[in-house]
Amino acid sequence: MALEEYKRKRRFEDTPEPPPKVATKAGNRFVVQKHDATRLHYDFRLEMEGVLKSWAVPKGPSLDPADKRLAMQVEDHPVSYFDFEGNIPEGNYGAGSVMVWDVGTWTPLSPMPVNGKYVPGTEAEAAAMLAKGDLKFRLNGKRLKGDFALIKMRGRRPGSKGNEWLMIKKHDDHVVEGYDAGEIDESVLSKRSMDDIAGDARSKAWTSSRPAGRGKLKAAWLADAVAKLDQKRAAAKGQKKKSATPLSPQGTPRKKTPRKVKDKR
Ligand code: MN
């Protein structure tokens, strides 16, 4: 799959997300990103085969083995997505705030338990388990720890896209009954809440003259573009009674396609 789908879905001149690039170095990190998109969800990503294998988990990962969390496999992401936190502007794929909710390392588990206990496996075993749709692994994160399985659902249910997996905690010393990821609203990178992160985008939209890094510059550019659009619209409104809708070169009325920047909540 490489990163073709990741690339196809995004316009990199318009989003602060990292460009598609397959890593040549092997790594064993994982990340969970809380993502306030159209629907709030958690993106669980495992560094593997030069990319981040990714699943969107609507309810978030759980440390309670009684929870079978739906995890929809989504497109591979570049490894540099690992520490992406910020705001994907409206009008872009996945628009909304992203928080780095957990980070750490992971180890594949051998599909063959020894004396009823799971033991570390190899990268080759991990690749085979992923292909088979039954991936067992151990997490050592700041919040998520212990053994887990991601199991691909075989059932053909109505409307199923065939990308549905279940993420399940295994029984070990790290079990927490009744676990709720939603109770922890703090970035492990910046300590910010989702509101703090979203608030950054709002404040940037009002202060476009701030000296800026790459992400801020884009936000400032967007803020300027939006301000111009607003001026145009205000002017158009004022002229409405005097002149007709401006015509396109084909002579048909121009379609209005304002960029949405309104706050979702
Ligand atoms: Mn997402």
Side-chain angles (χ1 to χ4, degrees):
M1 180 156 35
L3 294 169
E4 291 308 315
E5 192 180 349
Y6 177 86
K7 189 178 173 186
R8 183 166 51 75
K9 285 179 166 169
R10 290 168 177 80
R11 290 171 291 131
F12 293 97
E13 68 278 14
D14 212 20
T15 175
E17 295 166 287
K21 189 168 183 283
V22 177
T24 47
K25 266 194 296 182
N28 66 331
R29 295 173 299 173
F30 84 90
V31 61
V32 178
Q33 277 150 326
K34 187 173 179 179
H35 186 183
D36 189 13
T38 311
R39 288 206 184 101
L40 182 80
H41 62 273
Y42 296 72
D43 290 298
F44 177 71
R45 310 187 199 278
L46 293 173
E47 187 175 18
M48 199 174 174
E49 299 169 358
V51 295
L52 297 175
K53 295 286 170 187
S54 299
W55 289 262
V57 186
K59 289 185 177 174
S62 176
L63 291 175
D64 186 343
D67 293 329
K68 291 173 175 55
R69 290 291 158 84
L70 180 64
M72 266 115 27
Q73 191 172 16
V74 296
E75 76 274 18
D76 295 347
H77 279 49
V79 166
S80 51
Y81 212 93
F82 181 76
D83 58 359
F84 175 73
E85 181 172 282
N87 296 284
I88 302 170
E90 287 288 349
N92 288 276
Y93 178 72
S97 302
V98 177
M99 169 199 279
V100 177
W101 188 85
D102 198 18
V103 291
T105 56
W106 73 283
T107 318
L109 295 175
S110 170
M112 289 294 156
V114 176
N115 299 326
K117 296 229 169 189
Y118 285 100
V119 296
T122 63
E123 259 180 65
E125 281 176 319
M129 286 189 288
L130 181 73
K132 208 180 144 205
D134 185 358
L135 178 61
K136 294 180 174 68
F137 52 93
R138 183 167 294 164
L139 297 180
N140 186 14
K142 292 183 178 174
R143 290 174 181 155
L144 299 182
K145 292 177 194 293
D147 297 355
F148 292 80
L150 267 167
I151 297 158
K152 190 168 187 179
M153 292 166 79
R154 302 283 168 200
R156 270 282 154 199
R157 288 172 294 111
S160 165
K161 283 185 188 167
N163 65 340
E164 291 147 330
W165 298 54
L166 294 175
M167 185 175 182
I168 306 167
K169 178 79 191 73
K170 300 222 168 253
H171 289 275
D172 59 19
D173 295 342
H174 301 287
V175 164
V176 178
E177 280 174 30
Y179 190 85
D180 179 6
E183 285 175 4
I184 311 166
D185 184 30
E186 187 186 271
S187 164
V188 292
L189 281 194
S190 66
K191 306 262 182 206
R192 293 184 296 174
S193 68
M194 285 304 271
D195 275 354
D196 291 340
I197 294 166
D200 257 19
R202 282 196 289 274
S203 58
K204 269 182 219 159
W206 297 114
T207 55
S208 59
S209 58
R210 234 190 244 171
R214 202 169 136 257
K216 282 183 178 173
L217 195 70
K218 281 187 181 174
W221 170 84
L222 182 64
D224 286 347
V226 167
K228 275 179 196 157
L229 194 68
D230 283 347
Q231 278 173 10
K232 264 191 201 166
R233 270 200 242 152
K237 249 187 191 173
Q239 290 176 358
K240 222 174 188 175
K241 279 160 195 163
K242 284 184 239 164
S243 66
T245 312
L247 297 182
S248 73
Q250 287 79 31
T252 50
R254 278 185 205 280
K255 268 188 194 155
K256 275 188 190 171
T257 53
R259 194 186 290 270
K260 281 186 192 167
V261 288
K262 66 171 196 228
D263 188 354
K264 278 201 302 291
R265 285 162 308 163

